[in-house]
Amino acid sequence: MPIEVLDSETTDQRLNQLTQALGSGMFVHVRSMLHDMAASDIAFILESSPPRTRQVLWQLIDQQHTGEILDELGEELKDTLITQMSPERVAKAAKGMDTDDLAYILRSLPDSVFNQVLQSMTAQDRARVEQALSYPEDTAGSIMNTDTVTVRPDVTIDVILRYLRIRGELPDATDTLYVVDKRDSLLGGVRITDLLTCDPNASVREIMNDDLEGIPVAMDDGEVAQLFERHDWVSAPVVEEETNRLLGRITIDDIVDVIREDAEHSMMGMAGMDDDTDTFGPVVKSTLRRSLWLTINLFAALLAASVSNMFENTLEQFATIAILMTIVPSMGGVAGNQTLALVIRGIALGQIGQSNSRWLIGKELAIGFLNGLLWSLLVFAAIWLWKGDIALGGLIGGAMLINMTVAGLAGACIPLLLKKFNIDPALAGGMVLTTVTDVIGLFAFLGLATLFLLN
């Protein structure tokens, strides 16, 4: 029976149908509906369901499709479901899974369950998993597959074509056959399109691309993603750096996962949350996860409030200042966040390094100053016309110039400093910047008010 692939609207409708069927106790009908759906759509429905519905759906899924569905799930939900599975079921799900996905699943298991799962596997599956687990997470080795098709340089194209016909099936996303010597050292590659169009009597050596370079197995997966994006690769070989021995290959579907995870990490990091957070996760667990960041933010807010407390006498004498003082930190925060987002993106894309960071800091400092000058003049004019007080307009304009200049400098420097200390700028940069712009903005505004209006 063909698998039905759903669009987003149809998936939402199917989720409603499944929920209603479960509520009516039509479990056989639900099982039949799930059987006809693609693994990616089932994963989407699981991630879109509350915990109770999710557990029932998981029990109704055919066990032979478990591995495919686990491949498509987010990390938190995947970990939750795996810990509830028996070692035998995990081992069964492992059959047919890509090596990198299987290695991830096993890394998330407790040691006792991990050992049971390994014992339940065949010797061949156990060997490929142990090899994958030997590479650190977030490296080329951790996302590569070992399903490479290799050929020797002295073989003719006709022999290769006959071998491929006998083999019958190629691994997914195979666009190149890798040429290796007797020690499995990478010599080059032969594109499938070249195999089909060249002279069958020619040798592999005559048509192979000997400029093909392998990706070092220890390379960071983010750097690998940048290479794929830059060169429009469908797949790329992974090699041992010292010997150039072919170890496996990375395909575009693995890179899409890396890019998506990095994007989710940056987006969720801005809010101080993990990128694998389950939207429909348990209330208590979700509350505890968010509390840590809220606690840190509270101390940052108290620091800004302490600045206002230092100028309590000024605020008591000038009620207008209390009304207008939020403008300065607000404008500084927006300006700083623009710079922060730009620099974090540049770091993520590998565009910013020691050679150009100083120039970038100078550029953002100049932009902050020019923006501060422009908007301070506009605010000065607006306050003068609104309140009829030229001194107050000059005060808030001067404070805005100071804060927006500092915001531009801080927005460029903070992510670079955090990166230097191995702290993720996407996770901590926003909070640090907000603290800086609030403190500097309030201090500049209230300090100038105390200095010029009370003396």
Side-chain angles (χ1 to χ4, degrees):
M1 184 177 293
I3 297 296
E4 181 182 2
V5 180
L6 311 177
D7 57 30
S8 57
E9 183 177 356
T10 308
T11 304
D12 186 55
Q13 294 173 353
R14 184 57 56 89
L15 177 59
N16 290 331
Q17 294 173 7
L18 288 170
T19 303
Q20 293 174 5
L22 287 175
S24 302
M26 302 169 62
F27 299 116
V28 176
H29 179 58
V30 172
R31 183 188 292 274
S32 176
M33 292 172 67
L34 293 172
H35 179 74
D36 295 336
M37 293 172 61
S40 58
D41 291 322
I42 296 176
F44 177 82
I45 286 175
L46 286 171
E47 291 182 332
S48 305
S49 302
R52 289 185 179 179
T53 304
R54 178 183 291 165
Q55 291 297 329
V56 177
L57 290 173
W58 183 245
Q59 296 301 321
L60 295 174
I61 291 171
D62 290 342
Q63 291 197 15
Q64 60 182 351
H65 300 309
T66 300
E68 301 173 42
I69 297 169
L70 287 173
D71 282 350
E72 304 289 341
L73 292 174
E75 293 182 9
E76 183 175 351
L77 178 53
K78 184 187 297 184
D79 293 345
T80 301
L81 293 176
I82 288 172
T83 54
Q84 298 171 2
M85 295 167 61
S86 65
E88 291 75 20
R89 188 178 180 187
V90 175
K92 188 175 181 180
K95 294 181 178 178
M97 289 182 66
D98 290 339
T99 307
D100 56 327
D101 296 318
L102 181 54
Y104 168 79
I105 287 176
L106 293 180
R107 281 193 180 100
S108 64
L109 295 176
D111 290 341
S112 56
V113 180
F114 171 85
N115 292 326
Q116 292 180 54
V117 172
L118 280 184
Q119 294 301 319
S120 303
M121 289 182 174
T122 63
Q124 183 178 6
D125 285 341
R126 192 182 308 125
R128 67 188 181 97
V129 167
E130 289 174 346
Q131 180 186 4
L133 291 173
S134 66
Y135 304 114
E137 288 189 79
D138 302 325
T139 62
S142 69
I143 62 173
M144 76 173 183
N145 295 312
T146 56
D147 56 356
T148 56
V149 180
T150 60
V151 295
R152 293 290 172 81
D154 53 348
V155 179
T156 64
I157 302 304
D158 183 55
V159 171
I160 299 300
L161 292 174
R162 280 190 278 123
Y163 162 71
L164 293 179
R165 283 193 291 270
I166 294 172
R167 180 185 175 104
E169 185 177 355
L170 292 176
D172 293 338
T174 297
D175 64 326
T176 301
L177 306 185
Y178 301 120
V179 184
V180 297
D181 61 17
K182 294 180 180 180
R183 294 174 296 180
D184 284 335
S185 295
L186 181 66
L187 301 177
V190 178
R191 294 184 301 176
I192 296 293
T193 52
D194 292 337
L195 280 177
L196 298 176
T197 56
C198 71
D199 181 4
N201 295 318
S203 68
V204 170
R205 190 186 304 277
E206 294 177 57
I207 69 166
M208 76 177 190
N209 173 22
D210 52 12
D211 293 330
L212 181 67
E213 294 185 6
I215 295 174
V217 69
M219 178 179 284
D220 182 83
D221 60 4
E223 296 180 35
V224 176
Q226 291 174 22
L227 290 175
F228 266 76
E229 181 183 9
R230 195 177 306 150
H231 299 290
D232 295 327
W233 289 338
V234 174
S235 67
V238 179
V239 298
E240 197 173 63
E241 194 165 8
E242 295 79 11
T243 63
N244 203 42
R245 184 169 64 91
L246 181 67
L247 299 174
R249 69 185 185 120
I250 296 174
T251 54
I252 187 62
D253 58 311
D254 300 314
I255 296 303
V256 169
D257 290 339
V258 171
I259 294 173
R260 185 186 65 182
E261 289 171 5
D262 288 346
E264 290 177 352
H265 178 73
S266 297
M267 180 181 67
M268 299 296 284
M270 290 293 186
M273 299 174 66
D274 293 334
D275 53 300
D276 61 346
T277 298
D278 182 5
T279 305
F280 293 91
V283 173
V284 176
K285 186 176 181 180
S286 299
T287 302
L288 293 175
R289 280 193 165 189
R290 301 184 194 186
S291 295
L292 174 61
W293 196 256
L294 291 172
T295 302
I296 296 173
N297 189 69
L298 175 61
F299 282 104
L302 290 173
L303 178 61
S306 67
V307 175
S308 299
N309 186 64
M310 292 169 57
F311 300 96
E312 186 176 358
N313 292 334
T314 304
L315 291 171
E316 287 178 352
Q317 296 186 41
F318 296 96
T320 306
I321 290 178
I323 297 172
L324 299 175
M325 72 176 185
T326 57
I327 298 176
V328 176
S330 175
M331 289 293 289
V334 172
N337 273 304
Q338 290 174 338
T339 303
L340 184 76
L342 182 73
V343 175
I344 289 177
R345 187 193 68 171
I347 292 174
L349 294 175
Q351 297 173 344
I352 300 176
Q354 292 183 349
S355 61
N356 56 14
S357 57
R358 288 188 179 181
W359 187 93
L360 181 64
I361 291 172
K363 172 203 167 187
E364 294 302 328
L365 178 61
I367 292 174
F369 175 78
L370 292 175
N371 264 330
L373 185 62
L374 171 64
W375 290 103
S376 64
L377 290 174
L378 291 175
V379 169
F380 165 73
I383 298 298
W384 185 11
L385 294 174
W386 179 24
K387 296 295 183 180
D389 190 335
I390 189 171
L392 183 60
L395 171 70
I396 194 170
M400 186 170 292
L401 174 60
I402 294 171
N403 198 33
M404 291 187 72
T405 303
V406 172
L409 179 64
C413 291
I414 287 173
L416 294 173
L417 288 172
L418 292 175
K419 187 70 176 178
K420 186 175 182 180
F421 290 101
N422 295 321
I423 301 173
D424 188 355
L427 185 63
M431 188 209 68
V432 176
L433 177 67
T434 300
T435 303
V436 170
T437 54
D438 284 354
V439 170
I440 296 297
L442 291 173
F443 191 86
F445 185 48
L446 296 176
L448 290 174
T450 303
L451 184 63
F452 293 105
L453 298 183
L454 294 184
N455 295 322

